Amino acid sequence: MRDILIASAVSLLLSIFGTPLAIRLFSRRGYGQSIREEGPSGHHDKRGTPTMGGTVIVIAALIGFACAHLMSWTPPTISAVLVLFLMTGLGAVGFLDDFIKIYKQRSLGLRSGAKALGQLIVGAVFAVLVTRFPDAYDITPAETRLSFLRDFGPSIGLVGFTIWVLIMIVGFSNAVNLTDGLDGLASGATGAVLASYILIGNWQLRNSCTAQLGPNCYWVRDPLDLAVVAAAVLGALIGFLWWNAPPAKIFMGDTGSLALGGVIAGLAITTRTQLLLIILAGMCVVITTSVIVQVGFFKMTGKRVFRMAPLQHHFELAGWAETTIVVRFWIIAGLCAAAGLGLFYVEWVPK
């Protein structure tokens, strides 16, 4: 618990005081956001707002995590290192995408193929390594099986598992990226998921099969350190949200959204709650589904289901104020996280 508090506190302080420095630095260098011409007209006022703020989130989270281990004088676990690698690697892909947008002064950065390739390379390395490094109890960070509240069913093999992990990583990193359309929206939505994983990691530690065998115990390697990772990223995200809340002084950009999508996917894989993430991050899933429905229906019929996709822009064009959309979507994100946690704990409710 002490490591969780230290990691979150350090990353929060670094983020809340470091973000203004990033705003000044990026503004001085002209690292401003480009806006799509076909987007909602209200977004044109945001042109030039500093972007790439996700660098602050990633750096603050890494330092917060490191400080927690330095102060407790314990080495980081391989599960946590792999999740942080995934976050940082995807953040680097997003940083390159953001930089190209700024350098070429356009709303599109990396070509979709190059961006996907970067995500796949980082995800493939993670997928292969996460099934290695057994501990003293022969528990690896992940097994080649599907999971909901824990692993279930037979092994799907290394190739099948790698494909599944890549689907998760690319899917959720892009889902958070699509959610990041309004000031503070993605920060609040992913913050609820990270808070859930702090609770999940703590509960898995208290009911680990390595401490006491029981019908509902968890075969999870390093649950406490995974909770520390979630706390470090959450602290950094809250500090960033102080400046990203409407009206935003800085945007996280693809640097932040891809990194955040990666870290929640990594936490789901290493805590053996892969399918549960669909519920925990339900807000991001709904927004992504709206894009799939919009594109698919338009290709089939030439008509649109929504005024504009992703879903948050539909409500903008319907006349909702941006802050109204953000707060209401935060409420939905919180309810999704609560529903996921309810399912996680329900098997422990006395019958």
Side-chain angles (χ1 to χ4, degrees):
M1 181 60 71
R2 184 181 65 176
D3 287 356
I4 290 174
L5 295 175
I6 292 172
S8 58
V10 171
S11 61
L12 171 63
L13 292 173
L14 286 172
S15 182
I16 202 168
F17 292 112
T19 302
L21 299 177
I23 293 172
R24 288 197 290 271
L25 175 63
F26 295 160
S27 296
R28 192 179 306 123
R29 292 180 174 271
Y31 292 172
Q33 177 71 39
S34 298
I35 303 297
R36 290 187 304 165
E37 293 299 329
E38 66 273 19
S41 58
H43 287 212
H44 290 242
D45 295 336
K46 301 180 181 183
R47 189 185 305 275
T49 302
T51 188
M52 295 198 301
T55 54
V56 178
I57 299 173
V58 172
I59 292 172
L62 292 174
I63 295 175
F65 177 82
C67 286
H69 281 279
L70 285 172
M71 295 187 73
S72 63
W73 205 245
T74 56
T77 62
I78 189 62
S79 299
V81 169
L82 287 173
V83 174
L84 291 173
F85 159 77
L86 182 61
M87 177 187 73
T88 307
L90 292 178
V93 175
F95 181 87
L96 184 58
D97 186 52
D98 287 333
F99 187 80
I100 291 174
K101 291 176 186 176
I102 293 166
Y103 182 75
K104 295 193 174 182
Q105 288 296 298
R106 65 187 191 190
S107 60
L108 296 175
L110 283 172
R111 295 186 181 276
S112 58
K115 188 175 179 180
L117 180 61
Q119 293 171 296
L120 290 172
I121 291 173
V122 175
V125 173
F126 173 83
V128 172
L129 293 179
V130 83
T131 59
R132 302 176 185 272
F133 307 106
D135 63 5
Y137 298 94
D138 203 32
I139 306 174
T140 52
E143 295 285 344
T144 56
R145 299 162 66 192
L146 299 179
S147 62
F148 180 50
L149 305 181
R150 51 178 52 80
D151 290 331
F152 67 87
S155 169
I156 58 176
L158 182 59
V159 174
F161 180 75
T162 300
I163 293 171
W164 168 241
V165 168
L166 290 176
I167 291 171
M168 284 194 65
I169 291 171
V170 174
F172 279 101
S173 59
N174 287 329
V176 177
N177 186 239
L178 290 171
T179 304
D180 185 33
L182 299 179
D183 298 352
L185 179 55
S187 300
T190 52
V193 180
L194 290 166
S196 300
Y197 275 114
I198 296 174
L199 298 175
I200 288 172
N202 265 295
W203 189 256
Q204 289 177 334
L205 174 69
R206 295 173 182 274
N207 297 279
S208 173
C209 296
T210 62
Q212 184 176 0
L213 286 173
N216 294 327
C217 67
Y218 300 99
W219 290 103
V220 174
R221 175 170 178 167
D222 316 315
L224 176 60
D225 219 19
L226 293 172
V228 174
V229 169
V233 180
L234 179 60
L237 192 58
I238 292 172
F240 178 79
L241 182 57
W242 181 269
W243 304 100
N244 182 235
K249 300 295 189 294
I250 187 171
F251 300 139
M252 69 170 64
D254 284 14
T255 308
S257 59
L258 294 188
L260 290 173
V263 78
I264 62 173
L267 287 169
I269 292 162
T270 50
T271 58
R272 319 295 176 94
T273 56
Q274 299 158 14
L275 296 176
L276 184 65
L277 181 59
I278 297 172
I279 301 170
L280 291 170
M283 186 72 263
C284 298
V285 173
V286 168
I287 287 174
T288 304
T289 303
S290 73
V291 175
I292 296 171
V293 169
Q294 181 85 324
V295 173
F297 193 79
F298 183 79
K299 286 185 175 180
M300 289 188 295
T301 66
K303 298 180 180 180
R304 292 178 171 85
V305 177
F306 307 104
R307 288 186 170 98
M308 186 177 181
L311 186 62
Q312 61 268 29
H313 298 319
H314 167 82
F315 290 105
E316 272 193 292
L317 295 180
W320 289 25
E322 180 173 0
T323 50
T324 300
I325 299 169
V326 170
V327 172
R328 287 178 177 173
F329 276 37
W330 279 355
I331 293 171
I332 296 171
L335 291 173
C336 289
L341 284 174
L343 285 173
F344 179 77
Y345 286 114
V346 72
E347 63 182 359
W348 295 90
V349 176
K351 298 180 181 178

